[in-house]
Amino acid sequence: MYPHERSLVKKHAAAPFALIGVNSDKTKERVRQAIEKNGINWRSFWQGPAGTRGEISTRWNVRGWPTVVLIDHKGVIRARAHSLDDDLLERLINEAKAARN
Amino acid sequence: MKNRTSLVLTMLSFACVSSCLHAQRRIAIPEHLSPEAKKEYERLASELQEAQAESRKKMMENARKARTGGARTISIRMQRSFPKVADEFVKQAGSFAKSDDAIAFLVQASRLDDRKESVQKIMAKLLADHIESKRLADAALGLPALARTLGNDGVNAIAAKIIEKSPHKSVQGAAFYARSTLVLDRRGNKSEGRERAIADLRRALKLAPDVLPARAKGQLYEAEKLQVGMVAPNIVGKDIDDVDFELSDYKGKVIMLDFWGDW
């Protein structure tokens, strides 16, 4: 997943797009290592030592990892799944661009 | 995701999944057991663990064969039914007769069995002998997992009986919760059952807040706020450098919200 996410962030750097993580690692050291090792170039919420049972993933009822939620430029949830729907993401970015012009 | 017992592995995740499969599976010993019951339960739990380890070994062996055979994706099926061990649990339940200890054995047996008739028998016994017990909540909470053997209708019928006959709010609440979970956990389900399921879940949270699993509130939140087509609620938190930020900071952009972990 990392290489694909990394390239998405680069590819859409100028587009109205943000990849936001909700990380469930229990220690900061672990996250830092992962960030360094895998060249992670997006910002994440960190949930503290509760890990997968952290506040955000519990509230959002996330039980499988990864879980990807796509939210359009109007703030509407458009998909929720355990993998990314690349075509839908492209469509949403195009919608957002069109709305800007 | 229709068949939740099968996992499709890509080559990349193979190593990770196989290590996870080896690592997991400590069978939880229920609290509240009497010392004698605990001893017996532990004995059966280790028997179960051995059976699971054996089946897992076979499964990984098959996956490995498929991989060396050049398969790009490997479908594996984790065995969840161990009817022989289930029978042992039922037998032990008999020796603790009508005490609360028996409930724990019967609940475990109902999970391990995939023969419809024996699961029906186990549930009938729970209802007949233990309807007055508060611990019947454990049986109620386990109901959704029984849908694979009893079907949704079978599970709903049992939940309805528990709601009707149990004298305890907490047990009734657990049964409401089971009934709602059956509907709400099928993501993307837009059937007419949803409204009732949400009402059931609200009621469960009112009746049995201390008995329900931690994710019950999340289930309600998801059902009411996180459906496709709804405006995403804000998230307020801190990043890895302890800097406060919010989802709404990215308003106007397409957001790919990625729940991840490096394990």
Side-chain angles (χ1 to χ4, degrees):
Chain A
M1 196 84 174
Y2 295 138
H4 186 51
E5 288 164 325
R6 237 170 22 221
S7 62
L8 280 174
V9 172
K10 278 189 191 146
K11 181 180 167 192
H12 297 300
F17 168 73
L19 201 174
I20 302 293
V22 180
N23 176 276
S24 280
D25 287 308
K26 289 183 177 171
T27 66
K28 280 189 183 177
E29 289 67 43
R30 187 73 198 255
V31 195
R32 290 224 166 86
Q33 270 172 22
I35 289 173
E36 196 162 317
K37 197 174 130 205
N38 302 291
I40 286 170
N41 51 1
W42 61 89
R43 196 176 191 188
S44 290
F45 291 103
W46 184 62
Q47 306 189 84
T52 52
R53 294 179 183 191
E55 197 206 317
I56 302 170
S57 38
T58 301
R59 183 150 33 95
W60 281 58
N61 196 26
V62 171
R63 291 185 300 145
W65 282 262
T67 285
V68 177
V69 181
L70 286 180
I71 301 168
D72 70 16
H73 67 281
K74 291 179 185 158
V76 175
I77 297 172
R78 300 288 289 268
R80 171 173 173 144
H82 292 302
S83 60
L84 171 68
D85 180 341
D86 280 289
D87 294 340
L88 178 60
L89 178 61
E90 290 294 328
R91 272 210 314 280
L92 295 184
I93 291 175
N94 287 335
E95 278 177 27
K97 282 178 182 165
R100 281 195 172 179
N101 297 329
Chain B
M1 289 303 287
K2 265 184 194 152
N3 187 346
R4 282 196 272 158
T5 61
S6 78
L7 266 177
V8 177
L9 303 187
T10 65
M11 303 275 226
L12 279 174
S13 59
F14 182 84
C16 158
V17 172
S18 66
S19 65
C20 291
L21 285 173
H22 285 295
Q24 65 176 203
R25 294 303 148 89
R26 272 215 64 80
I27 293 144
I29 309 294
E31 298 162 25
H32 318 287
L33 288 177
S34 69
E36 307 85 64
K38 192 171 173 229
K39 217 173 106 195
E40 283 307 317
Y41 200 101
E42 281 170 347
R43 185 177 63 80
L44 290 179
S46 65
E47 218 171 279
L48 172 60
Q49 228 156 339
E50 271 168 42
Q52 286 175 338
E54 192 54 40
S55 117
R56 209 156 51 229
K57 223 168 83 188
K58 269 188 208 150
M59 183 185 75
M60 293 316 295
E61 199 48 51
N62 289 340
R64 224 167 270 132
K65 272 185 204 154
R67 190 168 60 147
T68 38
R72 272 192 64 80
T73 58
I74 301 162
S75 179
I76 57 175
R77 187 176 280 264
M78 278 192 278
Q79 185 184 343
R80 291 198 297 185
S81 307
F82 298 86
K84 268 192 200 159
V85 191
D87 286 342
E88 295 272 315
F89 273 96
V90 172
K91 214 172 112 194
Q92 275 307 327
S95 61
F96 296 102
K98 297 187 175 176
S99 75
D100 277 359
D101 286 337
I103 296 177
F105 286 86
L106 290 171
V107 168
Q108 182 63 274
S110 72
R111 277 188 210 138
L112 292 174
D113 218 320
D114 60 353
R115 297 161 301 183
K116 193 170 178 180
E117 270 180 31
S118 31
V119 177
Q120 277 168 337
K121 261 193 211 159
I122 293 167
M123 298 317 286
K125 188 150 187 60
L126 278 166
L127 290 179
D129 294 353
H130 303 281
I131 197 70
E132 302 286 331
S133 170
K134 268 196 176 180
R135 296 244 66 88
L136 196 65
D138 300 338
L141 292 175
L143 281 172
L146 303 187
R148 72 192 170 114
T149 41
L150 300 180
N152 285 358
D153 292 345
V155 166
N156 278 325
I158 297 169
K161 257 186 213 153
I162 294 176
I163 291 166
E164 185 195 335
K165 301 215 165 120
S166 170
H168 304 291
K169 278 184 183 174
S170 56
V171 179
Q172 293 165 9
F176 275 118
Y177 174 73
R179 211 165 72 171
S180 72
T181 290
L182 219 49
V183 176
L184 297 178
D185 272 4
R186 264 176 291 141
R187 210 151 263 154
N189 177 356
K190 286 180 182 142
S191 71
E192 70 285 0
R194 273 189 69 84
E195 288 295 314
R196 190 186 82 164
I198 292 173
D200 279 351
L201 181 50
R202 270 210 214 94
R203 208 152 164 196
L205 282 161
K206 230 178 239 164
L207 288 168
D210 303 328
V211 170
L212 303 188
R215 74 184 191 92
K217 277 186 197 162
Q219 283 172 287
L220 185 61
Y221 192 75
E222 182 184 358
E224 292 187 319
K225 309 260 187 209
L226 300 178
Q227 297 300 301
V228 169
M230 293 177 177
V231 173
N234 197 15
I235 297 176
V236 179
K238 283 181 194 300
D239 66 16
I240 185 71
D241 300 314
D242 263 337
V243 179
D244 293 313
F245 80 115
E246 309 182 14
L247 208 57
S248 64
D249 296 342
Y250 300 86
K251 220 172 170 178
K253 292 185 176 183
V254 175
I255 297 172
M256 173 178 164
L257 188 64
D258 184 4
F259 291 83
W260 69 286
D262 189 68
W263 48 71

